[in-house]
Amino acid sequence: MVTVKVKSDSLIVKIFGELDLVVAKEFRETVDKLLMDRPVRNLIIDLSQVEFIDSSGLGALLGRYKIMQQKGGKISIFGIKPSVYRILDLSGIMKIIPVFKAEEMKETKEA
Amino acid sequence: MVNYKKNFVKLEFSSLPENVALARVLIASLMAQVDFTLNDLEEIKVAVSEAVSNAIIHGYQNRNSGIVVIEAKLNKEILEIIIEDNGVGIENIEQAMTPTFSTDPDRMGLGFVFMKSFMDNVEVISEVGQGTKVILQKKLVDNGSCALMAT
């Protein structure tokens, strides 16, 4: 499941469950539609409720990174669990997409 | 003393994306019979997810009418998981296993990288027009958990 919140030019997407082939498709379709309809500058992805990720999920994240790059916007991820962190680390995706702890994102939002 | 029981499971399912999770649950349930660590469990689930996703996306090219077969054998020394499809097959296995190679621009080409990283042995048998069989093996140590991966 995927939920979205829009705050001015930021889109906050929260993903729930296992980010595999099925959820990756839902995430991709939901985000791409909103990115086409709105002038989004920041795409923030909340993975705090994601228990599992595989290369389908990683591919969906990378694809959104490419779209945001083309639009001149930014993408960031926060709230990752240790099992998800390992996969993100091994894939090298954290070298191109900034990853924050949930607390850091909270501080940023409050600042 | 751990009580080892040889076990074998086999499941056939439609090539639906929803069934990738089903394959993971099957393997996780089998692994629960042995003292695998949580880390081992997570890693093997990723490897299975990659192989089954490949069968659906590449083997059957996202058609839902194909059949994916998953078999798992557990004995004292090894956990062996076989994922088989009757899809289009792989023309160049070496190229398919190359990191970051993908025929789909929205994918990272990391499926085989994860399989090779998380399992002790990965074998791919494929014939164009006939299908693909992926054999994943994980060695077990005496206490039932997985052996440390070679560095």
Side-chain angles (χ1 to χ4, degrees), chain A residues 7 11-12 28-29 35 40 43-44 46 50 52 54 63 66-68 81 85 93-94 101:
Chain A
K7 279 188 181 175
L11 182 64
I12 303 158
R28 201 167 50 231
E29 290 174 352
L35 292 180
V40 176
L43 174 59
I44 302 162
D46 179 352
V50 171
F52 174 90
D54 63 12
K66 288 178 185 168
I67 293 172
M68 289 309 290
K81 297 190 172 185
Y85 182 94
I93 204 169
M94 293 198 294
K101 289 180 183 167

PDB file of all heavy atoms in Angstrom, chain A residues 7 11-12 28-29 35 40 43-44 46 50 52 54 63 66-68 81 85 93-94 101:
ATOM      1  N   LYS A   7       2.563  18.740   0.239  1.00  0.00           N
ATOM      2  CA  LYS A   7       2.754  19.970   1.011  1.00  0.00           C
ATOM      3  C   LYS A   7       3.502  20.951   0.119  1.00  0.00           C
ATOM      4  O   LYS A   7       4.677  20.742  -0.167  1.00  0.00           O
ATOM      5  CB  LYS A   7       3.579  19.690   2.261  1.00  0.00           C
ATOM      6  CG  LYS A   7       2.785  19.122   3.409  1.00  0.00           C
ATOM      7  CD  LYS A   7       3.630  19.068   4.658  1.00  0.00           C
ATOM      8  CE  LYS A   7       2.836  18.462   5.808  1.00  0.00           C
ATOM      9  NZ  LYS A   7       3.659  18.295   6.998  1.00  0.00           N
ATOM     10  N   LEU A  11       6.212  16.277  -2.223  1.00  0.00           N
ATOM     11  CA  LEU A  11       5.343  15.103  -2.244  1.00  0.00           C
ATOM     12  C   LEU A  11       5.936  14.075  -1.288  1.00  0.00           C
ATOM     13  O   LEU A  11       7.085  13.666  -1.451  1.00  0.00           O
ATOM     14  CB  LEU A  11       5.293  14.542  -3.679  1.00  0.00           C
ATOM     15  CG  LEU A  11       4.405  13.349  -3.953  1.00  0.00           C
ATOM     16  CD1 LEU A  11       2.944  13.707  -3.721  1.00  0.00           C
ATOM     17  CD2 LEU A  11       4.575  12.886  -5.399  1.00  0.00           C
ATOM     18  N   ILE A  12       5.150  13.722  -0.256  1.00  0.00           N
ATOM     19  CA  ILE A  12       5.644  12.747   0.724  1.00  0.00           C
ATOM     20  C   ILE A  12       4.894  11.434   0.488  1.00  0.00           C
ATOM     21  O   ILE A  12       3.662  11.375   0.603  1.00  0.00           O
ATOM     22  CB  ILE A  12       5.433  13.248   2.169  1.00  0.00           C
ATOM     23  CG1 ILE A  12       6.126  14.608   2.335  1.00  0.00           C
ATOM     24  CG2 ILE A  12       5.988  12.243   3.172  1.00  0.00           C
ATOM     25  CD1 ILE A  12       5.594  15.439   3.464  1.00  0.00           C
ATOM     26  N   ARG A  28       5.120   3.222  -8.304  1.00  0.00           N
ATOM     27  CA  ARG A  28       5.510   3.860  -9.558  1.00  0.00           C
ATOM     28  C   ARG A  28       4.315   4.589 -10.192  1.00  0.00           C
ATOM     29  O   ARG A  28       4.418   5.757 -10.560  1.00  0.00           O
ATOM     30  CB  ARG A  28       6.022   2.763 -10.496  1.00  0.00           C
ATOM     31  CG  ARG A  28       6.906   3.233 -11.606  1.00  0.00           C
ATOM     32  CD  ARG A  28       7.626   2.093 -12.284  1.00  0.00           C
ATOM     33  NE  ARG A  28       6.722   1.016 -12.673  1.00  0.00           N
ATOM     34  CZ  ARG A  28       6.903  -0.264 -12.378  1.00  0.00           C
ATOM     35  NH1 ARG A  28       7.952  -0.646 -11.693  1.00  0.00           N
ATOM     36  NH2 ARG A  28       6.053  -1.177 -12.771  1.00  0.00           N
ATOM     37  N   GLU A  29       3.188   3.898 -10.283  1.00  0.00           N
ATOM     38  CA  GLU A  29       2.016   4.491 -10.935  1.00  0.00           C
ATOM     39  C   GLU A  29       1.471   5.682 -10.154  1.00  0.00           C
ATOM     40  O   GLU A  29       1.111   6.702 -10.730  1.00  0.00           O
ATOM     41  CB  GLU A  29       0.934   3.424 -11.127  1.00  0.00           C
ATOM     42  CG  GLU A  29       1.349   2.405 -12.184  1.00  0.00           C
ATOM     43  CD  GLU A  29       0.384   1.230 -12.331  1.00  0.00           C
ATOM     44  OE1 GLU A  29      -0.554   1.106 -11.513  1.00  0.00           O
ATOM     45  OE2 GLU A  29       0.594   0.424 -13.249  1.00  0.00           O
ATOM     46  N   LEU A  35       3.473  13.339 -10.261  1.00  0.00           N
ATOM     47  CA  LEU A  35       4.593  14.136 -10.790  1.00  0.00           C
ATOM     48  C   LEU A  35       4.225  14.794 -12.119  1.00  0.00           C
ATOM     49  O   LEU A  35       4.720  15.862 -12.452  1.00  0.00           O
ATOM     50  CB  LEU A  35       5.852  13.275 -10.965  1.00  0.00           C
ATOM     51  CG  LEU A  35       6.524  12.758  -9.684  1.00  0.00           C
ATOM     52  CD1 LEU A  35       7.756  11.932 -10.018  1.00  0.00           C
ATOM     53  CD2 LEU A  35       6.910  13.889  -8.744  1.00  0.00           C
ATOM     54  N   VAL A  40       6.095  19.326  -8.600  1.00  0.00           N
ATOM     55  CA  VAL A  40       6.781  18.805  -7.405  1.00  0.00           C
ATOM     56  C   VAL A  40       8.288  19.056  -7.503  1.00  0.00           C
ATOM     57  O   VAL A  40       8.909  18.728  -8.512  1.00  0.00           O
ATOM     58  CB  VAL A  40       6.509  17.284  -7.242  1.00  0.00           C
ATOM     59  CG1 VAL A  40       7.291  16.703  -6.074  1.00  0.00           C
ATOM     60  CG2 VAL A  40       5.024  17.020  -7.070  1.00  0.00           C
ATOM     61  N   LEU A  43      10.645  15.108  -3.677  1.00  0.00           N
ATOM     62  CA  LEU A  43       9.952  13.831  -3.504  1.00  0.00           C
ATOM     63  C   LEU A  43      10.581  13.139  -2.291  1.00  0.00           C
ATOM     64  O   LEU A  43      11.784  12.848  -2.282  1.00  0.00           O
ATOM     65  CB  LEU A  43      10.107  12.959  -4.767  1.00  0.00           C
ATOM     66  CG  LEU A  43       9.558  11.539  -4.690  1.00  0.00           C
ATOM     67  CD1 LEU A  43       8.063  11.522  -4.384  1.00  0.00           C
ATOM     68  CD2 LEU A  43       9.816  10.790  -6.005  1.00  0.00           C
ATOM     69  N   ILE A  44       9.770  12.971  -1.241  1.00  0.00           N
ATOM     70  CA  ILE A  44      10.275  12.386   0.006  1.00  0.00           C
ATOM     71  C   ILE A  44       9.605  11.022   0.196  1.00  0.00           C
ATOM     72  O   ILE A  44       8.369  10.932   0.180  1.00  0.00           O
ATOM     73  CB  ILE A  44       9.967  13.313   1.203  1.00  0.00           C
ATOM     74  CG1 ILE A  44      10.606  14.692   0.954  1.00  0.00           C
ATOM     75  CG2 ILE A  44      10.477  12.713   2.507  1.00  0.00           C
ATOM     76  CD1 ILE A  44      10.029  15.798   1.814  1.00  0.00           C
ATOM     77  N   ASP A  46       8.967   7.760   2.473  1.00  0.00           N
ATOM     78  CA  ASP A  46       8.974   7.239   3.844  1.00  0.00           C
ATOM     79  C   ASP A  46       8.943   5.702   3.771  1.00  0.00           C
ATOM     80  O   ASP A  46       7.940   5.115   3.376  1.00  0.00           O
ATOM     81  CB  ASP A  46       7.737   7.797   4.569  1.00  0.00           C
ATOM     82  CG  ASP A  46       7.623   7.298   6.001  1.00  0.00           C
ATOM     83  OD1 ASP A  46       8.400   6.407   6.392  1.00  0.00           O
ATOM     84  OD2 ASP A  46       6.736   7.795   6.720  1.00  0.00           O
ATOM     85  N   VAL A  50       8.211  -0.266   5.718  1.00  0.00           N
ATOM     86  CA  VAL A  50       8.607  -1.293   4.744  1.00  0.00           C
ATOM     87  C   VAL A  50       9.499  -2.337   5.418  1.00  0.00           C
ATOM     88  O   VAL A  50      10.524  -2.005   6.000  1.00  0.00           O
ATOM     89  CB  VAL A  50       9.332  -0.652   3.530  1.00  0.00           C
ATOM     90  CG1 VAL A  50       9.937  -1.714   2.627  1.00  0.00           C
ATOM     91  CG2 VAL A  50       8.362   0.221   2.745  1.00  0.00           C
ATOM     92  N   PHE A  52      10.509  -5.251   3.793  1.00  0.00           N
ATOM     93  CA  PHE A  52      11.261  -6.047   2.816  1.00  0.00           C
ATOM     94  C   PHE A  52      11.380  -5.254   1.525  1.00  0.00           C
ATOM     95  O   PHE A  52      10.453  -4.566   1.119  1.00  0.00           O
ATOM     96  CB  PHE A  52      10.503  -7.368   2.553  1.00  0.00           C
ATOM     97  CG  PHE A  52      11.085  -8.221   1.467  1.00  0.00           C
ATOM     98  CD1 PHE A  52      12.046  -9.185   1.759  1.00  0.00           C
ATOM     99  CD2 PHE A  52      10.682  -8.057   0.144  1.00  0.00           C
ATOM    100  CE1 PHE A  52      12.584  -9.967   0.745  1.00  0.00           C
ATOM    101  CE2 PHE A  52      11.218  -8.844  -0.867  1.00  0.00           C
ATOM    102  CZ  PHE A  52      12.172  -9.798  -0.557  1.00  0.00           C
ATOM    103  N   ASP A  54      13.244  -5.729  -2.584  1.00  0.00           N
ATOM    104  CA  ASP A  54      14.103  -6.484  -3.508  1.00  0.00           C
ATOM    105  C   ASP A  54      14.446  -5.576  -4.692  1.00  0.00           C
ATOM    106  O   ASP A  54      14.175  -4.373  -4.649  1.00  0.00           O
ATOM    107  CB  ASP A  54      13.441  -7.805  -3.933  1.00  0.00           C
ATOM    108  CG  ASP A  54      12.147  -7.601  -4.693  1.00  0.00           C
ATOM    109  OD1 ASP A  54      11.861  -6.454  -5.096  1.00  0.00           O
ATOM    110  OD2 ASP A  54      11.417  -8.579  -4.888  1.00  0.00           O
ATOM    111  N   GLY A  63      14.102   4.686 -10.678  1.00  0.00           N
ATOM    112  CA  GLY A  63      13.322   5.292 -11.754  1.00  0.00           C
ATOM    113  C   GLY A  63      12.775   6.658 -11.362  1.00  0.00           C
ATOM    114  O   GLY A  63      12.803   7.611 -12.147  1.00  0.00           O
ATOM    115  N   LYS A  66      15.519   9.242 -11.370  1.00  0.00           N
ATOM    116  CA  LYS A  66      15.813   9.733 -12.729  1.00  0.00           C
ATOM    117  C   LYS A  66      14.792  10.790 -13.149  1.00  0.00           C
ATOM    118  O   LYS A  66      15.148  11.798 -13.744  1.00  0.00           O
ATOM    119  CB  LYS A  66      15.807   8.563 -13.729  1.00  0.00           C
ATOM    120  CG  LYS A  66      17.012   7.641 -13.585  1.00  0.00           C
ATOM    121  CD  LYS A  66      16.895   6.481 -14.574  1.00  0.00           C
ATOM    122  CE  LYS A  66      18.004   5.467 -14.399  1.00  0.00           C
ATOM    123  NZ  LYS A  66      17.740   4.228 -15.153  1.00  0.00           N
ATOM    124  N   ILE A  67      13.519  10.541 -12.831  1.00  0.00           N
ATOM    125  CA  ILE A  67      12.471  11.504 -13.200  1.00  0.00           C
ATOM    126  C   ILE A  67      12.688  12.834 -12.475  1.00  0.00           C
ATOM    127  O   ILE A  67      12.617  13.908 -13.074  1.00  0.00           O
ATOM    128  CB  ILE A  67      11.059  10.930 -12.878  1.00  0.00           C
ATOM    129  CG1 ILE A  67      10.770   9.740 -13.796  1.00  0.00           C
ATOM    130  CG2 ILE A  67       9.984  12.000 -13.027  1.00  0.00           C
ATOM    131  CD1 ILE A  67       9.505   8.974 -13.454  1.00  0.00           C
ATOM    132  N   MET A  68      12.983  12.754 -11.162  1.00  0.00           N
ATOM    133  CA  MET A  68      13.191  13.991 -10.387  1.00  0.00           C
ATOM    134  C   MET A  68      14.420  14.748 -10.894  1.00  0.00           C
ATOM    135  O   MET A  68      14.436  15.980 -10.905  1.00  0.00           O
ATOM    136  CB  MET A  68      13.330  13.672  -8.888  1.00  0.00           C
ATOM    137  CG  MET A  68      12.048  13.233  -8.220  1.00  0.00           C
ATOM    138  SD  MET A  68      10.651  14.352  -8.517  1.00  0.00           S
ATOM    139  CE  MET A  68      11.139  15.786  -7.559  1.00  0.00           C
ATOM    140  N   LYS A  81      14.497   0.463   7.816  1.00  0.00           N
ATOM    141  CA  LYS A  81      14.783  -0.569   8.825  1.00  0.00           C
ATOM    142  C   LYS A  81      16.085  -1.284   8.459  1.00  0.00           C
ATOM    143  O   LYS A  81      16.491  -1.266   7.297  1.00  0.00           O
ATOM    144  CB  LYS A  81      13.629  -1.573   8.873  1.00  0.00           C
ATOM    145  CG  LYS A  81      12.348  -0.898   9.300  1.00  0.00           C
ATOM    146  CD  LYS A  81      11.253  -1.881   9.596  1.00  0.00           C
ATOM    147  CE  LYS A  81      10.099  -1.101  10.200  1.00  0.00           C
ATOM    148  NZ  LYS A  81       8.999  -1.902  10.659  1.00  0.00           N
ATOM    149  N   TYR A  85      17.946  -1.499   4.924  1.00  0.00           N
ATOM    150  CA  TYR A  85      19.201  -0.747   4.814  1.00  0.00           C
ATOM    151  C   TYR A  85      20.278  -1.590   4.121  1.00  0.00           C
ATOM    152  O   TYR A  85      20.990  -1.108   3.248  1.00  0.00           O
ATOM    153  CB  TYR A  85      19.682  -0.338   6.217  1.00  0.00           C
ATOM    154  CG  TYR A  85      20.950   0.489   6.205  1.00  0.00           C
ATOM    155  CD1 TYR A  85      20.898   1.883   6.207  1.00  0.00           C
ATOM    156  CD2 TYR A  85      22.209  -0.119   6.181  1.00  0.00           C
ATOM    157  CE1 TYR A  85      22.056   2.642   6.178  1.00  0.00           C
ATOM    158  CE2 TYR A  85      23.371   0.624   6.148  1.00  0.00           C
ATOM    159  CZ  TYR A  85      23.290   2.008   6.150  1.00  0.00           C
ATOM    160  OH  TYR A  85      24.442   2.749   6.114  1.00  0.00           O
ATOM    161  N   ILE A  93      22.538   2.355  -4.157  1.00  0.00           N
ATOM    162  CA  ILE A  93      21.563   3.425  -4.440  1.00  0.00           C
ATOM    163  C   ILE A  93      21.718   4.603  -3.472  1.00  0.00           C
ATOM    164  O   ILE A  93      21.393   5.747  -3.801  1.00  0.00           O
ATOM    165  CB  ILE A  93      20.110   2.843  -4.424  1.00  0.00           C
ATOM    166  CG1 ILE A  93      19.181   3.730  -5.265  1.00  0.00           C
ATOM    167  CG2 ILE A  93      19.574   2.662  -3.016  1.00  0.00           C
ATOM    168  CD1 ILE A  93      17.823   3.126  -5.541  1.00  0.00           C
ATOM    169  N   MET A  94      22.271   4.323  -2.282  1.00  0.00           N
ATOM    170  CA  MET A  94      22.435   5.395  -1.288  1.00  0.00           C
ATOM    171  C   MET A  94      23.529   6.391  -1.682  1.00  0.00           C
ATOM    172  O   MET A  94      23.659   7.439  -1.082  1.00  0.00           O
ATOM    173  CB  MET A  94      22.704   4.796   0.094  1.00  0.00           C
ATOM    174  CG  MET A  94      21.499   4.046   0.629  1.00  0.00           C
ATOM    175  SD  MET A  94      21.498   3.755   2.396  1.00  0.00           S
ATOM    176  CE  MET A  94      22.858   2.672   2.582  1.00  0.00           C
ATOM    177  N   LYS A 101      17.602   9.505   8.681  1.00  0.00           N
ATOM    178  CA  LYS A 101      16.889   8.801   9.754  1.00  0.00           C
ATOM    179  C   LYS A 101      15.572   9.540   9.953  1.00  0.00           C
ATOM    180  O   LYS A 101      15.475  10.733   9.658  1.00  0.00           O
ATOM    181  CB  LYS A 101      17.704   8.848  11.042  1.00  0.00           C
ATOM    182  CG  LYS A 101      18.934   7.971  10.990  1.00  0.00           C
ATOM    183  CD  LYS A 101      19.686   8.062  12.281  1.00  0.00           C
ATOM    184  CE  LYS A 101      20.969   7.231  12.188  1.00  0.00           C
ATOM    185  NZ  LYS A 101      21.889   7.507  13.273  1.00  0.00           N
TER     186      LYS A 101
END
